[in-house]
Amino acid sequence: MSILEKISSPRDLDGLTESQLKVLALEIREFLINKVALTGGHLGPNLGVVELTLAIHRVFDSPNDPIVFDTGHQSYVHKLLTGRQDFSHLRERGGLAGYPQRGESDHDIVESSHASSSLSWADGISRGFAMTGQSDRAVVAVVGDGSLTGGMTWEALNNMTDDNARRMVIVVNDNGRSYAPTIGGMARYLNDVRTRKSYRSLRRSSEQFFAKLGAPGRALYRGVRGGTHGFLSRASNNEALYSNLDIKYIGPIDGHDLHAMEEALTQAKNYGAPVIVHAITEKGRGYQPARDDQDDQFHAVGKIDPATGRALSTSSQQSWTGVFSDALLAEGTRNKKVVAITAAMLRPTGLHAFAERFPTRVHDVGIAEQHAVTSAAGLAYAGLHPVVAMYATFVNRAFDQILMDVALHKAGVTFVLDRAGVTGPDGPSHHGMWDLSILQVVPGIRIAAPRDAIRVREELAEAIAVDDAPTVIRFPKGSAPEEIAALRRTDGGVDVLAEGEREDVLIVAVGPMATIALDVAERLRAQGIGATVVDPRWVVPVNEDVVELARRHRLVITLEDGVRVGGIGTRIRQRLREAGVDTAVDELGLPDLFIDHASREQILTDAGLTGQQIARDVVAQVLGSRIPVARPDGEDPHPATSPGFGAVTGKQ
């Protein structure tokens, strides 16, 4: 039996010798490589925190001493050490989550996996312990150097100095990367710490001196290493970073030297006030394919061959991200005013190609979505057209800036939201299911949801042409169909994808939900019910042609992969009432729940968003046995009088 198999709780680590711990570290890395290769997941970050996590669990008593991970994707080792070693269904329904999850273990404290929040959590927990007399409990926050680029981190640090008589340890896991190399002044400072000759030469010379004394000398060196770290820190002026914050700083420490990490963490635990322990680690450590990957060192992988690191399956279709990447490059080549902004996600959002071609026209601001948006407003004021690319789940963080800095000032800024709707295996904090509900309340905003690759290119060009309001392009994770052809396009720009012999049901499909909508229409046709399927292309504001089509039909079904509450369906229903159209509307979408990790197909099935389920319900509505009930057949629908409605502009 391996050492890892004998570990069911952190306290099982206490009796292990130094040599056994080294073997355990090797076993953990081998386990992660082999298991994550089968399911996909965050491999590189976890390979880099093996010794760091072992040291934390040996020094602190989890969960009595809460451990908060920022952002949480580096918590696989923590899961292994807290009794969760079945990784066979990692990030799949019924299996372990890819992030900390309270339902899995009392050792998991924070599961919201949005970066830069850990220090605020730790600040609140430690204040609560102090206020309730739990002075024997320490709080540990594990924060990556990438998360230090987020403003919330510095708000927390500022407040810690106001009342710093609390047992709080901040472990900075410094590997020079978030997804890709960390950006900004903080990154430059930490990189200087890692490479400064004064630090490296002092450390090496001290090691060499004691090593010459043989085994007793090496033992003596380990005994005084904590003090040596402090000396090296002062000699290389690393403490300058935190001196004005009145927070004790220990480091930099070799994050893969388990003994050194334990000594530093023990000092920090016993200090009685907030302490920063600065650990230098290597993302992807112990796995050469990850170390050789210059893009993100296997930050997140799909299913791979563990021996080579190569992906086991690839789609013949281009990803939505890839389509956008090419489209933006084309737009930027045509229009020199186009600039791009991202928040520490250059490659994940597809901006890397644009950056390679136009390096001075791309700004990576680090994990600072709020700053990114307001900075974009400033760029627009200066005469440029910024394209802000981020995951849909992260746009929530910048809502105020979109509302007050962009929309209020009528700034021409385009927001491109990747991973919109259901993302699947990353769980509740990463589903991009709130953007439609949140953003459509912004006055003047225009939101597009392309159904295929052609529409990504088309709608991005249209968005960039808008210079007096915010525009949004949203698309899901996965592969993009090249084309879902339209029968015709109305004068107002609505694509009609399918038409029945009768105008019974109008299905308004938002973006990639067009595929399901067409399936529903075919099922209804088999039941003798005529269905028209339209893609508005721009879902906000509501196109007047959608209003007139709704007037002519007996029932309207809206289909979106965002939450139903305040969704596009709700907006369409309100617009119909304003226009005096009394056609019933059934708004289909996701429930207002935090949806656990599962495949996209499983989640859509749970929400009733399948062709079979929707068609069954629509048949009942047309027959009058389910509400909302369709208008009776033959009743005057108040036909449209708008001139030119329904004109054909050619097949799309």
Side-chain angles (χ1 to χ4, degrees):
M1 179 181 288
S2 68
I3 297 175
L4 178 58
E5 290 174 308
K6 299 176 183 177
I7 304 299
S8 60
S9 76
R11 299 286 58 84
D12 292 332
L13 301 172
D14 295 345
L16 299 182
T17 65
E18 185 171 349
S19 62
Q20 287 175 317
L21 288 167
K22 290 181 179 179
V23 172
L24 176 59
L26 291 173
E27 291 178 357
I28 289 173
R29 286 194 169 92
E30 182 179 8
F31 178 97
L32 291 174
I33 292 167
N34 290 326
K35 295 297 184 181
V36 177
L38 296 174
T39 62
H42 291 95
L43 182 56
N46 286 282
L47 293 174
V49 297
V50 175
E51 291 84 4
L52 184 151
T53 309
L54 284 167
I56 289 173
H57 275 296
R58 276 172 59 86
V59 172
F60 295 92
D61 181 23
S62 175
N64 184 65
D65 296 330
I67 303 171
V68 178
F69 288 92
D70 188 330
T71 60
H73 57 241
Q74 78 282 47
S75 63
Y76 293 5
V77 183
H78 165 77
K79 289 176 185 271
L80 288 174
L81 301 179
T82 53
R84 289 167 283 175
Q85 296 185 11
D86 182 1
F87 273 49
S88 59
H89 296 285
L90 177 69
R91 301 167 72 244
E92 297 173 0
R93 171 164 287 176
L96 291 178
Y99 295 90
Q101 190 172 71
R102 288 182 175 182
E104 284 182 7
S105 173
D106 291 339
H107 294 275
D108 289 3
I109 308 302
V110 175
E111 54 186 70
S112 63
S113 71
H114 281 192
S116 306
S117 65
S118 63
L119 301 195
S120 296
W121 269 98
D123 177 60
I125 293 171
S126 63
R127 285 182 188 274
F129 286 169
M131 293 172 68
T132 55
Q134 301 180 71
S135 58
D136 61 325
R137 302 180 71 181
V139 182
V140 182
V142 182
V143 57
D145 60 297
S147 291
L148 292 180
T149 63
M152 192 173 175
T153 295
W154 293 94
E155 293 173 20
L157 284 170
N158 179 62
N159 278 274
M160 289 172 191
T161 65
D162 185 55
D163 175 18
N164 64 0
R166 290 172 280 140
R167 300 182 66 196
M168 180 164 46
V169 178
I170 301 163
V171 180
V172 177
N173 171 34
D174 179 8
N175 59 25
R177 289 172 171 262
S178 47
Y179 284 84
T182 309
I183 297 299
M186 169 61 69
R188 288 193 297 273
Y189 185 94
L190 293 178
N191 185 62
D192 182 53
V193 169
R194 291 184 217 102
T195 59
R196 192 176 296 150
K197 288 184 178 179
S198 58
Y199 167 69
R200 289 187 289 114
S201 61
L202 281 168
R203 186 179 189 279
R204 287 173 181 169
S205 61
S206 62
E207 283 184 282
Q208 291 168 359
F209 172 76
F210 284 103
K212 290 178 182 178
L213 301 179
R218 288 191 292 272
L220 177 61
Y221 173 69
R222 288 195 298 269
V224 301
R225 184 157 29 190
T228 305
H229 286 308
F231 168 70
L232 294 177
S233 174
R234 290 189 295 274
S236 52
N237 200 33
N238 297 337
E239 285 188 301
L241 180 61
Y242 301 102
S243 60
N244 291 331
L245 294 174
D246 194 25
I247 298 177
K248 176 68 175 176
Y249 171 88
I250 299 176
I253 314 292
D254 180 354
H256 302 296
D257 186 330
L258 182 57
H259 203 98
M261 282 300 305
E262 286 191 36
E263 289 176 350
L265 291 171
T266 300
Q267 289 180 27
K269 179 181 179 180
N270 296 331
Y271 188 66
V275 178
I276 290 174
V277 177
H278 181 184
I280 309 294
T281 63
E282 180 189 17
K283 194 172 184 178
R285 186 177 179 88
Y287 187 40
Q288 198 61 42
R291 297 178 67 189
D292 292 341
D293 179 33
Q294 294 302 308
D295 293 338
D296 63 6
Q297 292 185 308
F298 281 21
H299 178 86
V301 297
K303 296 179 180 180
I304 61 173
D305 178 349
T308 64
R310 293 174 184 159
L312 293 181
S313 62
T314 56
S315 173
S316 59
Q317 293 180 323
Q318 193 174 16
S319 69
W320 291 95
T321 307
V323 173
F324 160 67
S325 180
D326 292 345
L328 181 65
L329 185 58
E331 291 300 319
T333 301
R334 285 192 291 267
N335 184 349
K336 294 182 179 180
K337 291 185 177 182
V338 173
V339 295
I341 301 177
T342 189
M345 303 189 78
L346 191 72
R347 184 166 291 274
T349 58
L351 294 187
H352 57 289
F354 193 91
E356 290 169 4
R357 178 76 65 85
F358 306 112
T360 62
R361 290 162 61 184
V362 175
H363 307 284
D364 186 341
V365 301
I367 302 176
E369 291 86 358
Q370 293 171 310
H371 168 68
V373 172
T374 301
S375 179
L379 287 166
Y381 174 78
L384 301 170
H385 191 101
V387 176
V388 182
M390 62 180 69
Y391 284 4
T393 182
F394 299 132
V395 78
N396 309 349
R397 313 182 85 177
F399 173 77
D400 184 66
Q401 287 68 35
I402 294 172
L403 182 68
M404 292 299 173
D405 294 326
V406 176
L408 178 63
H409 294 87
K410 295 181 171 57
V413 178
T414 294
F415 298 93
V416 176
L417 306 184
D418 203 326
R419 271 70 163 176
V422 174
T423 56
D426 283 331
S429 65
H430 274 59
H431 293 309
M433 54 190 278
W434 292 282
D435 59 302
L436 290 173
S437 220
I438 291 172
L439 293 180
Q440 69 166 304
V441 304
V442 175
I445 200 166
R446 307 178 197 185
I447 303 175
R451 68 181 182 271
D452 57 23
I454 289 178
R455 254 44 65 173
V456 171
R457 296 186 280 267
E458 184 179 76
E459 291 162 23
L460 178 64
E462 293 172 7
I464 290 173
V466 176
D467 61 6
D468 61 352
T471 53
V472 178
I473 309 291
R474 73 184 302 270
F475 48 76
K477 181 180 181 179
S479 300
E482 178 59 26
E483 181 178 20
I484 299 175
L487 301 177
R488 58 189 177 89
R489 178 169 292 175
T490 69
D491 283 349
V494 174
D495 280 354
V496 179
L497 308 185
E499 290 181 294
E501 295 180 0
R502 299 159 48 90
E503 292 182 325
D504 292 319
V505 181
L506 174 66
I507 305 175
V508 182
V510 174
M513 302 303 281
T515 301
I516 297 176
L518 289 169
D519 180 28
V520 172
E522 183 60 26
R523 291 172 183 272
L524 293 178
R525 185 195 64 77
Q527 297 291 324
I529 297 172
T532 303
V533 177
V534 298
D535 169 15
R537 300 173 59 257
W538 290 85
V539 295
V540 174
V542 176
N543 194 296
E544 288 306 303
D545 286 356
V546 171
V547 175
E548 298 307 325
L549 277 166
R551 192 190 303 273
R552 288 170 18 189
H553 285 74
R554 300 169 56 198
L555 177 69
V556 175
I557 304 295
T558 62
L559 191 54
E560 59 193 297
D561 56 352
V563 291
R564 291 192 301 267
V565 178
I568 299 303
T570 300
R571 190 181 188 99
I572 289 175
R573 177 167 51 80
Q574 292 171 341
R575 180 68 193 93
L576 294 184
R577 298 302 172 260
E578 291 172 1
V581 177
D582 64 354
T583 307
V585 179
D586 195 3
E587 305 130 61
L588 304 182
L590 300 173
D592 53 333
L593 301 171
F594 290 113
I595 299 174
D596 282 339
H597 57 285
S599 71
R600 176 181 173 85
E601 292 72 22
Q602 288 171 328
I603 291 170
L604 292 179
T605 298
D606 289 347
L609 299 178
T610 66
Q612 182 180 40
Q613 183 61 53
I614 295 170
R616 182 184 297 121
D617 293 343
V618 171
V619 169
Q621 289 165 329
V622 170
L623 294 176
S625 59
R626 179 184 173 91
I627 57 173
V629 175
R631 181 190 297 116
D633 192 15
E635 184 176 298
D636 181 10
H638 310 293
T641 57
S642 302
F645 171 73
V648 179
T649 60
K651 183 177 180 180
Q652 303 299 315

